Amino acid sequence: MAMISTYCPHFNGLRRSSPKLDSSQSQSFLQHINSQLRLASSRKPCRAVTAMAGSGKFFVGGNWKCNGTKDSITKLVSDLNSAKLETDVDVVVSPPFVYLDQVTASLTSRIEVSAQNSWIGKGGAFTGEISVEQLKDIGCKWVILGHSERRHIIGEDDQFIGKKAAYALNEGLGVIACIGELLEEREAGKTFDVCFQQLKAFADVVPSWDNIVIAYEPVWAIGTGKVATPQQAQEVHVAVRDWLKKNVSEEVASKTRIIYGGSVNGSNCAELAKQEDIDGFLVGGASLKGPEFATIVNSVTSKKVAA
C-alpha cells in the first residue's frame, strides 16, 4: 500500500547515463529518475514524497549455498522447527541439492523449501543439472535464479536466466529472481543500468509476475560483511518498483515483493526492514544459524512499527 515518507533519495554512484529503453513510458521514467538526481545534487532540504510501497506479504529466504552436512542440517532444521516465527511472513530456505529431500522430509510446513538453481527446460541428457520437474517431485516450491554467483562465477547471462525463470514459472515453481551490480558498476554510476537490464531479461519472457519475488543483492555486499545502508537499499528498491510500474504495470509494481540481500544479519535487519520498499530479505551466512535467522524473519515487527 502507498505510504507517506520523509525519505529523500541520494542516488550517489547509481546513475550517470540514461539507459536506452524503447517505449515512451520508459523515457518518462528516465525523466523522473533524472529529476531525482538533480534534486539530490542540489542539496536542498528533503521534502515529503509519496512512495508506492509493496502490498505483498513480508518474505524472508535463507540461501544455504554450498554449506552443510547431514548432521549440521539436522541441527539447523531442528532449530527452525522450534523457532517462534511471526505469522505474517513467508519463510523459505534453500539447501544444497543433495540435502533437499532431507529438509523437505523433516522441516515444518510453516517454512517452504527452495532450490538454488534449475535447468532451462525439461530434464534429459544434461549432466549435472536438476530439472524443475524433479524439484517439484520432492516438494520444492521455489527456486533461486540469477544469483550473482551463478552470473559471475558460472557465467550465466541475462537471457539464459530469463529463460530458466520462464520455464520454472510455467511449470508452477515460484522464482526468487536476483539482480544486482558489481562494485565497479556502482562506482561507475551504472547501478540502475545493470539492474534494469537484468529486470528486462525477466520481463521479456516470464508468463506472469504472480509467483516472482525480486531479490536486490548488490554484489559488493554479498558475503563481504559490507552492507548497503538502509538508504542505499531503499533508493534502488524504489527505482526497481518504478521500473516495474512504467514497464510492466502499476499492479505488478505494487504486488511484487522486492527483498534485499547482502550480508543481512540479526543486527542490521531491523533498520533495513523499516524501509518502505524493502519487503523482506534473502539471507546468506546468517541463515545457517537458526536463532539468528528467526530474528531476521521476525524483523517484520520493525516494519509494523515504522508504518
Side-chain angles (χ1 to χ4, degrees), residues 33-268:
I33 291 298
N34 287 332
S35 71
Q36 294 301 309
L37 281 164
R38 289 192 294 272
L39 176 64
S41 63
S42 68
R43 295 185 180 179
K44 293 179 180 179
C46 293
R47 59 183 177 85
V49 296
T50 300
M52 187 180 66
S55 60
K57 195 174 183 181
F58 204 70
F59 185 105
V60 177
N63 181 8
W64 298 357
K65 304 191 179 184
C66 189
N67 292 295
T69 63
K70 287 176 65 176
D71 289 344
S72 69
I73 285 175
T74 296
K75 173 63 166 59
L76 178 53
V77 168
S78 176
D79 288 343
L80 294 174
N81 287 344
S82 61
K84 294 181 179 180
L85 305 176
E86 291 289 316
T87 57
D88 51 349
V89 184
D90 286 335
V91 186
V92 175
V93 295
S94 187
F97 282 129
V98 293
Y99 301 120
L100 282 171
D101 208 22
Q102 175 187 347
V103 174
T104 54
S106 58
L107 185 65
T108 173
S109 59
R110 169 71 182 83
I111 302 174
E112 293 186 328
V113 177
S114 169
Q116 298 178 18
N117 185 37
S118 63
W119 178 235
I120 197 169
K122 192 175 178 64
F126 306 106
T127 301
E129 291 295 337
I130 308 292
S131 73
V132 169
E133 292 82 1
Q134 290 170 324
L135 296 175
K136 290 175 61 182
D137 187 43
I138 61 170
C140 285
K141 304 295 184 184
W142 296 86
V143 62
I144 298 171
L145 295 174
H147 194 280
S148 65
E149 289 149 8
R150 302 294 306 180
R151 293 177 185 272
H152 301 295
I153 299 175
I154 307 301
E156 295 182 0
D157 63 28
D158 294 341
Q159 286 66 41
F160 185 71
I161 293 163
K163 290 177 181 177
K164 290 204 294 186
Y167 187 81
L169 291 164
N170 277 320
E171 295 302 313
L173 210 58
V175 170
I176 301 171
C178 299
I179 63 171
E181 80 283 3
L182 297 167
L183 179 59
E184 54 264 37
E185 291 168 337
R186 170 168 279 268
E187 291 176 341
K190 296 180 179 179
T191 293
F192 287 159
D193 294 332
V194 172
C195 291
F196 296 165
Q197 177 180 313
Q198 293 169 350
L199 274 174
K200 187 176 186 299
F202 289 113
D204 284 347
V205 294
V206 298
S208 167
W209 288 82
D210 289 345
N211 293 311
I212 299 177
V213 171
I214 296 172
Y216 168 60
E217 295 195 300
V219 182
W220 48 271
I222 298 174
T224 63
K226 298 178 181 178
V227 186
T229 67
Q231 293 75 25
Q232 285 175 321
Q234 167 68 9
E235 62 195 9
V236 177
H237 283 230
V238 169
V240 168
R241 203 177 300 282
D242 280 347
W243 189 94
L244 290 173
K245 181 180 179 180
K246 300 296 184 182
N247 293 278
V248 183
S249 75
E250 186 169 353
E251 180 183 12
V252 165
S254 178
K255 289 183 177 180
T256 301
R257 290 170 290 186
I258 306 170
I259 64 177
Y260 171 77
S263 297
V264 177
N265 58 46
S267 299
N268 58 36

